[in-house]
Amino acid sequence: MRVLLVEDEQPLAKYVAAGLRKHGFAVDVAFDGRTALDKCGVTPYDVVVLDRDLPVVHGDTVCRELAGHGAARILMLTASGTVEDRVEGLTLGADDYLGKPFAFSELVARVRALSRRSAPAIPPVLRAGDVVLDPARRTAERAGRLLQLTPKEFGVLEHLLAAGGAVLSAERLLDKVWDEHADPFTNAVRITVGTLRRKLGDPPPIETVPSAGYRIVP
């Protein structure tokens, strides 16, 4: 899942980004509102974690513009957690609201919940045949056998399962599982799919569609 964290306090931003990455998210960071809008213009984020009090372009303006496009879900952060502030944030177009300071586990849970509010809705536990993946618990199994997956392998399998059999291109997987520092010409997706196939075992549930990408088959 691709997340944009927009926070002007750089030490906090780096801490939160590192924590989200440990939970399997691909995270990009922006330290001001203008940069956030520029990044959203070129990258299809699933969730934007947006601090309200931002320099250059205020968080309220960023929220309105992103909500107008309706693609990414928005979790607004603020140091003020009054009812009036929460109502105003939601009125601006935010999908959820979290006051500072916050428990990190709650932030992770809210980001995951927002990512499931897509069309069609993504179930909390993903299944295809005897492959079962639980994003919240970070577990994946095949035929009851626990799989030991790297974060990238887990992310690729999660997106393939969520696609419900639809073909996902290597570019799409790179956008969703890797962050902005990934080389667009890398063969990381092909290598990750290869190691994932070996761990899943036979019969292989991941099919390569020539010149198109990959999909999950039962």
Side-chain angles (χ1 to χ4, degrees), residues 1-7 12-29 47-50 75 77 98 102-112 135 138 151-152 177 179:
M1 183 196 313
R2 194 75 177 265
V3 175
L4 176 63
L5 172 64
V6 192
E7 168 61 64
L12 175 61
K14 292 175 181 177
Y15 168 77
V16 172
L20 289 172
R21 291 183 182 117
K22 287 181 180 178
H23 282 81
F25 300 104
V27 183
D28 297 339
V29 179
V47 178
V48 176
V49 180
L50 178 67
L75 172 59
L77 303 178
L98 185 60
F102 51 81
F104 195 82
S105 58
E106 183 179 4
L107 173 65
V108 171
R110 287 177 181 269
V111 171
R112 288 201 186 283
R138 302 293 297 168
K152 299 306 183 192
V177 181
D179 61 25

Side-chain angles (χ1 to χ4, degrees), residues 6 10 12 43 49 51 60 77 92 94 98 109 176 182 197 206:
V6 192
Q10 296 193 22
L12 175 61
T43 301
V49 180
D51 184 51
D60 289 357
L77 303 178
L92 290 167
L98 185 60
K176 291 297 185 182
R197 278 193 176 117
I206 300 177

Side-chain angles (χ1 to χ4, degrees), residues 82 88 130 201:
T82 66
E88 186 175 1
D130 58 359

Side-chain angles (χ1 to χ4, degrees), residues 23 112 116 123-126 133-139 154 158:
H23 282 81
R112 288 201 186 283
R116 294 197 295 268
V125 177
L126 303 170
L133 183 144
D134 186 332
R137 292 184 173 84
R138 302 293 297 168
T139 59
F154 192 96
E158 180 179 2

Side-chain angles (χ1 to χ4, degrees), residues 1-4 21 24-28 43-46 150-157 159 169-184 186-196 214:
M1 183 196 313
R2 194 75 177 265
V3 175
L4 176 63
R21 291 183 182 117
F25 300 104
V27 183
D28 297 339
T43 301
Y45 292 104
D46 299 293
T150 67
K152 299 306 183 192
E153 291 165 354
F154 192 96
V156 167
L157 182 58
H159 280 85
S169 67
E171 292 78 12
R172 173 75 171 174
L173 289 169
L174 193 68
D175 273 344
K176 291 297 185 182
V177 181
W178 280 259
D179 61 25
E180 62 187 344
H181 301 295
D183 181 352
T186 184
N187 59 357
V189 174
R190 179 179 59 81
I191 293 172
T192 301
V193 169
T195 59
L196 180 56
Y214 307 94

